[in-house]
Short mmCIF file of all heavy atoms in Angstrom, two decimals:
data_model
loop_
_atom_site.label_atom_id
_atom_site.label_comp_id
_atom_site.label_asym_id
_atom_site.label_seq_id
_atom_site.Cartn_x
_atom_site.Cartn_y
_atom_site.Cartn_z
N PHE B 101 -22.18 1.51 -31.34
CA PHE B 101 -21.21 0.66 -32.02
C PHE B 101 -21.92 -0.31 -32.97
O PHE B 101 -22.72 -1.14 -32.51
CB PHE B 101 -20.38 -0.10 -30.98
CG PHE B 101 -19.33 -0.97 -31.58
CD1 PHE B 101 -18.29 -0.42 -32.31
CD2 PHE B 101 -19.38 -2.35 -31.45
CE1 PHE B 101 -17.33 -1.23 -32.90
CE2 PHE B 101 -18.43 -3.16 -32.03
CZ PHE B 101 -17.40 -2.60 -32.76
N PRO B 102 -21.61 -0.24 -34.27
CA PRO B 102 -22.33 -1.09 -35.22
C PRO B 102 -21.68 -2.46 -35.47
O PRO B 102 -22.24 -3.30 -36.15
CB PRO B 102 -22.29 -0.25 -36.50
CG PRO B 102 -21.00 0.49 -36.41
CD PRO B 102 -20.71 0.71 -34.95
N GLY B 103 -20.47 -2.65 -34.94
CA GLY B 103 -19.72 -3.86 -35.26
C GLY B 103 -19.99 -5.01 -34.33
O GLY B 103 -21.02 -5.07 -33.65
N VAL B 104 -19.05 -5.96 -34.30
CA VAL B 104 -19.15 -7.12 -33.41
C VAL B 104 -18.01 -7.07 -32.39
O VAL B 104 -17.12 -6.22 -32.49
CB VAL B 104 -19.09 -8.45 -34.22
CG1 VAL B 104 -20.34 -8.62 -35.05
CG2 VAL B 104 -17.84 -8.50 -35.10
N TYR B 105 -18.06 -7.98 -31.42
CA TYR B 105 -17.09 -7.93 -30.31
C TYR B 105 -16.19 -9.16 -30.30
O TYR B 105 -16.49 -10.19 -30.90
CB TYR B 105 -17.84 -7.85 -28.98
CG TYR B 105 -18.62 -6.58 -28.82
CD1 TYR B 105 -19.97 -6.52 -29.20
CD2 TYR B 105 -18.03 -5.43 -28.30
CE1 TYR B 105 -20.69 -5.34 -29.06
CE2 TYR B 105 -18.74 -4.25 -28.16
CZ TYR B 105 -20.07 -4.22 -28.54
OH TYR B 105 -20.79 -3.06 -28.41
N HIS B 106 -15.12 -9.01 -29.53
CA HIS B 106 -14.32 -10.18 -29.15
C HIS B 106 -13.93 -10.02 -27.69
O HIS B 106 -13.26 -9.04 -27.33
CB HIS B 106 -13.07 -10.31 -30.02
CG HIS B 106 -12.32 -11.59 -29.75
ND1 HIS B 106 -12.58 -12.75 -30.44
CD2 HIS B 106 -11.40 -11.90 -28.82
CE1 HIS B 106 -11.82 -13.71 -29.96
NE2 HIS B 106 -11.09 -13.22 -28.97
N VAL B 107 -14.39 -10.95 -26.86
CA VAL B 107 -14.12 -10.86 -25.41
C VAL B 107 -12.88 -11.70 -25.08
O VAL B 107 -12.83 -12.89 -25.39
CB VAL B 107 -15.34 -11.36 -24.59
CG1 VAL B 107 -15.08 -11.18 -23.11
CG2 VAL B 107 -16.60 -10.63 -25.00
N LEU B 108 -11.90 -11.05 -24.47
CA LEU B 108 -10.63 -11.74 -24.18
C LEU B 108 -10.71 -12.63 -22.93
O LEU B 108 -9.88 -13.50 -22.74
CB LEU B 108 -9.52 -10.71 -23.95
CG LEU B 108 -9.07 -9.90 -25.16
CD1 LEU B 108 -8.13 -8.79 -24.71
CD2 LEU B 108 -8.37 -10.78 -26.19
N MET B 109 -11.67 -12.37 -22.07
CA MET B 109 -11.80 -13.08 -20.79
C MET B 109 -10.59 -12.82 -19.89
O MET B 109 -10.05 -13.74 -19.28
CB MET B 109 -11.94 -14.60 -20.98
CG MET B 109 -13.20 -15.01 -21.66
SD MET B 109 -14.58 -14.57 -20.62
CE MET B 109 -15.91 -14.91 -21.72
N GLY B 110 -10.18 -11.59 -19.85
CA GLY B 110 -9.07 -11.22 -18.96
C GLY B 110 -8.11 -10.30 -19.69
O GLY B 110 -8.44 -9.76 -20.74
N LYS B 111 -6.95 -10.12 -19.11
CA LYS B 111 -5.93 -9.28 -19.74
C LYS B 111 -4.55 -9.83 -19.36
O LYS B 111 -4.45 -10.63 -18.42
CB LYS B 111 -6.08 -7.83 -19.28
CG LYS B 111 -6.10 -7.65 -17.79
CD LYS B 111 -6.47 -6.22 -17.42
CE LYS B 111 -6.73 -6.11 -15.93
NZ LYS B 111 -7.10 -4.79 -15.51
N ILE B 112 -3.55 -9.39 -20.08
CA ILE B 112 -2.18 -9.84 -19.78
C ILE B 112 -1.71 -9.13 -18.52
O ILE B 112 -1.76 -7.90 -18.45
CB ILE B 112 -1.24 -9.55 -20.98
CG1 ILE B 112 -1.65 -10.39 -22.19
CG2 ILE B 112 0.22 -9.81 -20.60
CD1 ILE B 112 -0.93 -10.02 -23.49
N VAL B 113 -1.33 -9.90 -17.51
CA VAL B 113 -0.83 -9.32 -16.25
C VAL B 113 0.54 -9.94 -15.98
O VAL B 113 0.64 -10.99 -15.34
CB VAL B 113 -1.80 -9.58 -15.07
CG1 VAL B 113 -1.36 -8.79 -13.84
CG2 VAL B 113 -3.22 -9.24 -15.42
N PRO B 114 1.62 -9.32 -16.49
CA PRO B 114 2.95 -9.95 -16.35
C PRO B 114 3.32 -10.25 -14.90
O PRO B 114 3.93 -11.28 -14.63
CB PRO B 114 3.89 -8.90 -16.96
CG PRO B 114 3.04 -8.09 -17.87
CD PRO B 114 1.68 -8.06 -17.24
N LEU B 115 2.94 -9.37 -13.98
CA LEU B 115 3.35 -9.57 -12.58
C LEU B 115 2.58 -10.70 -11.89
O LEU B 115 2.96 -11.15 -10.81
CB LEU B 115 3.20 -8.27 -11.78
CG LEU B 115 4.18 -7.15 -12.18
CD1 LEU B 115 3.83 -5.85 -11.51
CD2 LEU B 115 5.61 -7.54 -11.86
N ASP B 116 1.50 -11.17 -12.51
CA ASP B 116 0.78 -12.33 -11.99
C ASP B 116 1.07 -13.58 -12.83
O ASP B 116 0.47 -14.63 -12.59
CB ASP B 116 -0.74 -12.08 -12.00
CG ASP B 116 -1.17 -11.22 -10.82
OD1 ASP B 116 -0.41 -11.13 -9.84
OD2 ASP B 116 -2.27 -10.65 -10.88
N GLY B 117 1.94 -13.43 -13.80
CA GLY B 117 2.27 -14.57 -14.67
C GLY B 117 1.15 -14.90 -15.65
O GLY B 117 1.11 -16.00 -16.18
N ILE B 118 0.22 -13.96 -15.89
CA ILE B 118 -0.86 -14.20 -16.86
C ILE B 118 -0.40 -13.68 -18.22
O ILE B 118 -0.20 -12.48 -18.40
CB ILE B 118 -2.18 -13.52 -16.42
CG1 ILE B 118 -2.61 -14.05 -15.07
CG2 ILE B 118 -3.28 -13.73 -17.47
CD1 ILE B 118 -3.80 -13.32 -14.45
N GLY B 119 -0.22 -14.60 -19.14
CA GLY B 119 0.28 -14.23 -20.47
C GLY B 119 -0.80 -14.33 -21.52
O GLY B 119 -1.97 -14.61 -21.21
N HIS B 120 -0.40 -14.14 -22.79
CA HIS B 120 -1.39 -14.16 -23.87
C HIS B 120 -2.03 -15.52 -24.03
O HIS B 120 -3.15 -15.64 -24.53
CB HIS B 120 -0.71 -13.72 -25.17
CG HIS B 120 0.38 -14.62 -25.60
ND1 HIS B 120 0.17 -15.71 -26.41
CD2 HIS B 120 1.71 -14.64 -25.31
CE1 HIS B 120 1.31 -16.33 -26.61
NE2 HIS B 120 2.26 -15.70 -25.95
N GLU B 121 -1.33 -16.59 -23.61
CA GLU B 121 -1.88 -17.92 -23.77
C GLU B 121 -2.99 -18.22 -22.76
O GLU B 121 -3.71 -19.19 -22.90
CB GLU B 121 -0.76 -18.99 -23.69
CG GLU B 121 0.02 -19.07 -22.39
CD GLU B 121 1.06 -17.96 -22.19
OE1 GLU B 121 1.37 -17.24 -23.15
OE2 GLU B 121 1.54 -17.81 -21.07
N ASP B 122 -3.11 -17.36 -21.75
CA ASP B 122 -4.15 -17.57 -20.72
C ASP B 122 -5.46 -16.85 -21.04
O ASP B 122 -6.44 -17.00 -20.31
CB ASP B 122 -3.63 -17.07 -19.35
CG ASP B 122 -2.37 -17.82 -18.94
OD1 ASP B 122 -2.40 -19.06 -18.99
OD2 ASP B 122 -1.36 -17.16 -18.61
N ILE B 123 -5.46 -16.01 -22.06
CA ILE B 123 -6.68 -15.32 -22.46
C ILE B 123 -6.97 -15.63 -23.93
O ILE B 123 -6.17 -16.33 -24.57
CB ILE B 123 -6.59 -13.79 -22.21
CG1 ILE B 123 -5.39 -13.18 -22.95
CG2 ILE B 123 -6.51 -13.48 -20.72
CD1 ILE B 123 -5.31 -11.68 -22.86
N ARG B 124 -8.08 -15.12 -24.47
CA ARG B 124 -8.52 -15.55 -25.79
C ARG B 124 -7.85 -14.74 -26.93
O ARG B 124 -8.53 -14.13 -27.75
CB ARG B 124 -10.04 -15.47 -25.88
CG ARG B 124 -10.73 -16.39 -24.88
CD ARG B 124 -12.24 -16.33 -24.96
NE ARG B 124 -12.73 -16.91 -26.18
CZ ARG B 124 -13.35 -16.22 -27.14
NH1 ARG B 124 -13.53 -14.94 -27.01
NH2 ARG B 124 -13.78 -16.83 -28.23
N VAL B 125 -6.51 -14.76 -26.92
CA VAL B 125 -5.77 -14.05 -27.96
C VAL B 125 -5.71 -14.90 -29.24
O VAL B 125 -5.92 -14.40 -30.34
CB VAL B 125 -4.36 -13.67 -27.47
CG1 VAL B 125 -3.51 -13.15 -28.62
CG2 VAL B 125 -4.43 -12.61 -26.39
N LYS B 126 -5.45 -16.17 -29.06
CA LYS B 126 -5.34 -17.06 -30.23
C LYS B 126 -6.65 -17.06 -31.03
O LYS B 126 -6.63 -17.00 -32.26
CB LYS B 126 -4.99 -18.48 -29.75
CG LYS B 126 -4.67 -19.43 -30.87
CD LYS B 126 -4.37 -20.82 -30.39
CE LYS B 126 -4.15 -21.77 -31.55
NZ LYS B 126 -5.33 -21.94 -32.39
N GLU B 127 -7.78 -17.08 -30.31
CA GLU B 127 -9.09 -17.06 -30.97
C GLU B 127 -9.26 -15.78 -31.79
O GLU B 127 -9.82 -15.81 -32.88
CB GLU B 127 -10.21 -17.16 -29.93
CG GLU B 127 -10.36 -18.55 -29.29
CD GLU B 127 -9.43 -18.77 -28.11
OE1 GLU B 127 -8.46 -17.99 -27.94
OE2 GLU B 127 -9.66 -19.73 -27.34
N LEU B 128 -8.76 -14.66 -31.23
CA LEU B 128 -8.87 -13.38 -31.95
C LEU B 128 -8.02 -13.41 -33.22
O LEU B 128 -8.47 -12.99 -34.29
CB LEU B 128 -8.42 -12.23 -31.04
CG LEU B 128 -8.33 -10.86 -31.70
CD1 LEU B 128 -9.71 -10.37 -32.15
CD2 LEU B 128 -7.71 -9.83 -30.75
N LEU B 129 -6.80 -13.91 -33.10
CA LEU B 129 -5.91 -13.96 -34.26
C LEU B 129 -6.47 -14.91 -35.33
O LEU B 129 -6.41 -14.60 -36.52
CB LEU B 129 -4.50 -14.37 -33.84
CG LEU B 129 -3.79 -13.42 -32.87
CD1 LEU B 129 -2.43 -13.97 -32.45
CD2 LEU B 129 -3.61 -12.03 -33.48
N ASP B 130 -7.03 -16.02 -34.89
CA ASP B 130 -7.65 -16.97 -35.84
C ASP B 130 -8.84 -16.30 -36.54
O ASP B 130 -9.02 -16.46 -37.75
CB ASP B 130 -8.14 -18.23 -35.10
CG ASP B 130 -6.98 -19.09 -34.63
OD1 ASP B 130 -5.85 -18.85 -35.09
OD2 ASP B 130 -7.21 -20.00 -33.81
N ARG B 131 -9.61 -15.57 -35.76
CA ARG B 131 -10.79 -14.90 -36.31
C ARG B 131 -10.39 -13.82 -37.32
O ARG B 131 -11.00 -13.68 -38.37
CB ARG B 131 -11.55 -14.27 -35.12
CG ARG B 131 -12.96 -13.92 -35.41
CD ARG B 131 -13.63 -13.43 -34.13
NE ARG B 131 -14.86 -12.74 -34.42
CZ ARG B 131 -15.54 -12.05 -33.52
NH1 ARG B 131 -15.08 -11.95 -32.28
NH2 ARG B 131 -16.66 -11.47 -33.85
N ALA B 132 -9.32 -13.09 -36.96
CA ALA B 132 -8.83 -12.04 -37.86
C ALA B 132 -8.30 -12.65 -39.16
O ALA B 132 -8.52 -12.10 -40.24
CB ALA B 132 -7.76 -11.21 -37.16
N ALA B 133 -7.61 -13.78 -39.03
CA ALA B 133 -7.06 -14.44 -40.22
C ALA B 133 -8.18 -14.99 -41.10
O ALA B 133 -8.09 -14.93 -42.34
CB ALA B 133 -6.12 -15.56 -39.80
N LYS B 134 -9.23 -15.49 -40.48
CA LYS B 134 -10.33 -16.12 -41.22
C LYS B 134 -11.25 -15.07 -41.86
O LYS B 134 -11.62 -15.19 -43.03
CB LYS B 134 -11.12 -17.00 -40.25
CG LYS B 134 -12.11 -17.93 -40.91
CD LYS B 134 -12.78 -18.78 -39.85
CE LYS B 134 -14.10 -19.32 -40.35
NZ LYS B 134 -14.90 -19.87 -39.26
N ASN B 135 -11.61 -14.04 -41.10
CA ASN B 135 -12.63 -13.08 -41.57
C ASN B 135 -12.06 -11.82 -42.20
O ASN B 135 -12.83 -11.05 -42.77
CB ASN B 135 -13.54 -12.67 -40.41
CG ASN B 135 -14.26 -13.86 -39.79
OD1 ASN B 135 -14.21 -14.97 -40.33
ND2 ASN B 135 -14.91 -13.65 -38.68
N ALA B 136 -10.75 -11.60 -42.06
CA ALA B 136 -10.08 -10.39 -42.59
C ALA B 136 -10.89 -9.12 -42.28
O ALA B 136 -11.41 -8.46 -43.19
CB ALA B 136 -9.85 -10.52 -44.08
N PRO B 137 -11.02 -8.73 -41.01
CA PRO B 137 -11.80 -7.53 -40.67
C PRO B 137 -11.14 -6.26 -41.20
O PRO B 137 -9.92 -6.21 -41.38
CB PRO B 137 -11.82 -7.54 -39.14
CG PRO B 137 -10.62 -8.32 -38.76
CD PRO B 137 -10.40 -9.32 -39.83
N ARG B 138 -11.98 -5.24 -41.42
CA ARG B 138 -11.49 -3.95 -41.92
C ARG B 138 -10.70 -3.23 -40.83
O ARG B 138 -9.72 -2.57 -41.08
CB ARG B 138 -12.72 -3.13 -42.29
CG ARG B 138 -12.53 -2.05 -43.28
CD ARG B 138 -13.88 -1.51 -43.73
NE ARG B 138 -14.69 -0.96 -42.67
CZ ARG B 138 -15.76 -1.53 -42.13
NH1 ARG B 138 -16.17 -2.70 -42.56
NH2 ARG B 138 -16.44 -0.96 -41.17
N GLU B 139 -11.15 -3.40 -39.59
CA GLU B 139 -10.53 -2.69 -38.46
C GLU B 139 -10.78 -3.47 -37.17
O GLU B 139 -11.88 -4.00 -36.96
CB GLU B 139 -11.15 -1.29 -38.36
CG GLU B 139 -10.59 -0.44 -37.23
CD GLU B 139 -11.25 0.94 -37.18
OE1 GLU B 139 -11.93 1.33 -38.15
OE2 GLU B 139 -11.11 1.61 -36.14
N VAL B 140 -9.79 -3.49 -36.31
CA VAL B 140 -9.96 -4.06 -34.97
C VAL B 140 -9.74 -2.92 -33.98
O VAL B 140 -8.68 -2.27 -33.99
CB VAL B 140 -8.99 -5.23 -34.69
CG1 VAL B 140 -9.05 -5.65 -33.23
CG2 VAL B 140 -9.31 -6.42 -35.57
N ILE B 141 -10.76 -2.65 -33.15
CA ILE B 141 -10.66 -1.58 -32.14
C ILE B 141 -10.30 -2.23 -30.80
O ILE B 141 -11.03 -3.11 -30.34
CB ILE B 141 -12.00 -0.84 -31.99
CG1 ILE B 141 -12.47 -0.32 -33.35
CG2 ILE B 141 -11.89 0.28 -30.97
CD1 ILE B 141 -13.93 0.11 -33.35
N ILE B 142 -9.19 -1.82 -30.21
CA ILE B 142 -8.81 -2.41 -28.92
C ILE B 142 -9.39 -1.54 -27.80
O ILE B 142 -9.01 -0.38 -27.65
CB ILE B 142 -7.28 -2.55 -28.80
CG1 ILE B 142 -6.75 -3.40 -29.96
CG2 ILE B 142 -6.91 -3.21 -27.47
CD1 ILE B 142 -5.26 -3.53 -30.00
N ALA B 143 -10.31 -2.12 -27.05
CA ALA B 143 -11.00 -1.38 -25.99
C ALA B 143 -10.71 -1.99 -24.62
O ALA B 143 -11.60 -2.09 -23.77
CB ALA B 143 -12.50 -1.34 -26.27
N THR B 144 -9.46 -2.39 -24.41
CA THR B 144 -9.08 -2.87 -23.08
C THR B 144 -8.92 -1.65 -22.16
O THR B 144 -8.85 -0.52 -22.64
CB THR B 144 -7.75 -3.66 -23.14
OG1 THR B 144 -6.78 -2.86 -23.82
CG2 THR B 144 -7.91 -4.97 -23.88
N GLY B 145 -8.84 -1.88 -20.85
CA GLY B 145 -8.76 -0.78 -19.88
C GLY B 145 -7.52 0.08 -20.08
O GLY B 145 -6.58 -0.31 -20.77
#
Side-chain angles (χ1 to χ4, degrees):
Chain B
F101 182 64
V104 291
Y105 295 93
H106 186 90
V107 184
L108 291 171
M109 294 296 171
K111 53 189 170 181
I112 294 171
V113 189
L115 292 171
D116 281 341
I118 300 173
H120 62 89
E121 61 284 348
D122 301 309
I123 57 174
R124 298 181 69 246
V125 170
K126 188 181 176 297
E127 288 85 345
L128 174 65
L129 298 176
D130 289 347
R131 198 175 165 190
K134 192 178 158 193
N135 300 351
R138 204 169 60 254
E139 180 180 346
V140 171
I141 305 166
I142 303 176
T144 52

